Amino acid sequence: MSGRSPQGAERTAAALSDPEHRSAPEETPRRAPGPAGTAPAAATTATAPAAAEAPAAGGAPGTEPGRAPGTGTRKRAIRRTAAVLAVLAAGAVILAALNSGTRHGHLDPRSADPTGSRAVAELLKERGVTTRVVTTAREAADATGPRTTLLVTDPDRLGAGQRSAIRSAIDLSGGRTVLLAPGDHSLSDLSPGVRTEGDAGSDDLDPRCALPAATSAGRAGTGGDLRYTTALPGATACYPSGGHPTLLVLPTGTTGGDTVLLGSETILLNESLAEQGNASLALQLLGSRPDLVWYMPSLADSDPGTGPGGQDKSLLELVPAGWSWALLQLFLAATLAALWRARRLGPLVTEKLPVAVRASEATEGRARLYRKAGARDRAATVLRAATRERLAALVGVPPTRAHEPAALVPAVSARLTGEPRDVTALLFGTTPSDDAALVALADHLDALEREVRTS
């Protein structure tokens, strides 16, 4: 086609021709440089699409026009960081799942934590007492009976409806009900006629009563929390502190049934079960019947207007203690990963490439790949982008605006002296429909750039 350099036409046709009409790279003859001031044939304007990806296009080899050279590196770093965080999160979930069978919480008979109650549950199991954990007042009330001991771990947490259900179970079951550290908020419904008298001054107290369970257990850790007082007939008061008992046993209306008010949870905890007579007292209070219903109120059973101590807990107080160690481990792992990825053991060392590939061979190889994949859209985009950047340098358009039609097209059109042509369609047009149209596009781009250079 007229107006196209012989070298550009030959290279474009070679990149898009059939493989059987192509020679191997090593058989391609070298071309001598053109006249002074012109580039070698392998680096002409409209050669194969790979020429536009060379450093002349304003970026590193293999980068797209207009994309910063470090974009791929940043994306890889982001992906690596995301992968590390995903692995750490998966490890935390796995550890939590593996530990879920033994870490259930405070006063939980399944928990081996220091503040759990698994030890007393195992001792009761050895003595033939079965322990069943429930989380709702309805389940607790339905499970009670003459052969059942009902333990309520947090009576003050119950709502009015739940307290009513538990009170009905106390009156009708004929079994034993143990209320753990009930305050005035719950005593008015669960045990009328009893009120609290402040905190006990000492942790370990002597029984000082005729209750068989207390006399055989001896000194125990029933103090340190609540004391009680009552004028109800038939009440047995044990482990007094300052004249007021920390353990109170009250008979119920049903024959054989009773209610035990225990002012402290100490004798049920794993960490203190082996101290003094705690184990003996706990086994006798909870093991008098063959079945033990361990009622741990859930959030659904809680009274929204009350809470422990009458105050709402903060966010940190609601987080289980074990998660603080998990977060510390994740932080240490992330720190080690950051140090590992940021390491530098010495200065940078440059190395010679084992093989030097001529630009013409790289151009032809990339052109073959484009033709094999039928990537005319990609080839046309690369050709146009490289031409726009070189034209912008020739006509004085800033590189940052080389791909803006409003900035580049008027400047290029002003340098043209021949017949009118549609510069916008040539530099920013659509994808060629076939290989012949792609070759024609390369011809027109080559002619346009040569005319601008010589104008």
Side-chain angles (χ1 to χ4, degrees):
M1 177 165 299
S2 62
R4 182 171 183 265
S5 64
Q7 295 91 342
E10 180 181 355
R11 181 65 63 209
T12 304
L16 299 173
S17 61
D18 293 334
E20 57 268 19
H21 299 296
R22 295 292 312 281
S23 58
E26 60 271 16
E27 297 175 357
T28 303
R30 297 188 180 182
R31 294 175 174 79
T38 61
T44 51
T45 303
T47 61
E53 296 187 3
T63 59
E64 296 182 9
R67 176 179 294 181
T71 302
T73 303
R74 288 195 296 270
K75 287 185 176 180
R76 287 193 295 271
I78 293 173
R79 285 196 295 266
R80 286 196 295 266
T81 303
V84 171
L85 293 177
V87 170
L88 293 176
V93 172
I94 292 173
L95 289 176
L98 292 177
N99 293 332
S100 62
T102 57
R103 301 179 67 86
H104 288 275
H106 182 66
L107 283 174
D108 196 311
R110 301 161 295 185
S111 174
D113 288 348
T115 58
S117 300
R118 184 175 178 178
V120 67
E122 292 295 329
L123 293 176
L124 289 170
K125 182 179 179 181
E126 293 178 358
R127 287 158 176 76
V129 178
T130 60
T131 302
R132 174 187 174 187
V133 179
V134 297
T135 57
T136 65
R138 180 50 54 195
E139 289 180 313
D142 292 342
T144 56
R147 295 169 52 85
T148 302
T149 298
L150 172 62
L151 171 64
V152 184
T153 59
D154 196 353
D156 288 347
R157 188 175 182 178
L158 301 179
Q162 288 72 28
R163 292 195 299 269
S164 176
I166 296 300
R167 181 61 198 178
S168 298
I170 292 175
D171 294 336
L172 302 176
S173 67
R176 167 169 287 182
T177 302
V178 179
L179 303 179
L180 192 57
D184 291 329
H185 176 73
S186 58
L187 285 175
S188 58
D189 292 328
L190 299 179
S191 186
V194 180
R195 67 177 186 276
T196 60
E197 285 291 343
D199 296 340
S202 177
D203 292 339
D204 298 327
L205 302 172
D206 294 321
R208 298 180 184 177
C209 67
L211 183 68
T215 56
S216 61
R219 190 175 181 84
T222 60
D225 206 335
L226 296 177
R227 301 178 300 167
Y228 301 100
T229 181
T230 183
L232 295 175
T236 302
C238 299
Y239 295 98
S241 174
H244 297 284
T246 58
L247 174 63
L248 197 60
V249 181
L250 304 171
T252 61
T254 305
T255 304
D258 59 11
T259 301
V260 178
L261 308 183
L262 183 58
S264 174
E265 62 189 24
T266 303
I267 67 171
L268 301 181
L269 302 180
N270 294 330
E271 61 184 359
S272 55
L273 186 65
E275 299 174 0
Q276 302 291 340
N278 293 348
S280 175
L281 182 60
L283 293 178
Q284 294 184 76
L285 292 179
L286 302 181
S288 61
R289 272 78 171 173
D291 297 319
L292 172 62
V293 178
W294 201 294
Y295 175 32
M296 302 181 64
S298 63
L299 291 177
D301 275 10
S302 301
D303 189 344
T306 61
Q311 298 179 354
D312 294 334
K313 289 186 176 181
S314 65
L315 178 61
L316 294 178
E317 292 175 338
L318 294 174
V319 176
W323 280 103
S324 59
W325 291 105
L327 292 176
L328 177 61
Q329 293 175 12
L330 290 176
F331 175 77
L332 293 177
T335 303
L336 293 177
L339 294 176
W340 167 57
R341 297 304 302 175
R343 73 191 187 285
R344 174 172 290 183
L345 303 181
L348 297 177
V349 178
T350 58
E351 298 182 3
K352 293 183 178 180
L353 294 176
V355 177
V357 181
R358 296 196 305 271
S360 60
E361 294 180 0
T363 299
E364 292 176 2
R366 184 63 63 87
R368 291 193 192 101
L369 292 176
Y370 279 138
R371 188 184 186 283
K372 185 177 180 180
R376 285 188 298 271
D377 55 344
R378 171 66 176 165
T381 299
V382 173
L383 284 171
R384 283 170 167 152
T387 302
R388 291 196 298 265
E389 292 179 359
R390 288 192 293 270
L391 288 175
L394 293 174
V395 300
V397 175
T400 56
R401 305 190 64 188
H403 304 288
E404 298 179 8
L408 183 63
V409 171
V412 173
S413 300
R415 300 285 292 272
L416 300 179
T417 58
E419 60 185 24
R421 67 190 72 182
D422 191 354
V423 178
T424 303
L426 186 59
L427 295 177
F428 299 93
T430 58
T431 301
S433 58
D434 51 26
D435 288 350
L438 180 60
V439 173
L441 174 64
D443 291 339
H444 290 299
L445 291 174
D446 186 35
L448 177 64
E449 183 176 350
R450 189 177 64 254
E451 184 175 351
V452 172
R453 285 181 181 275
T454 57
S455 63

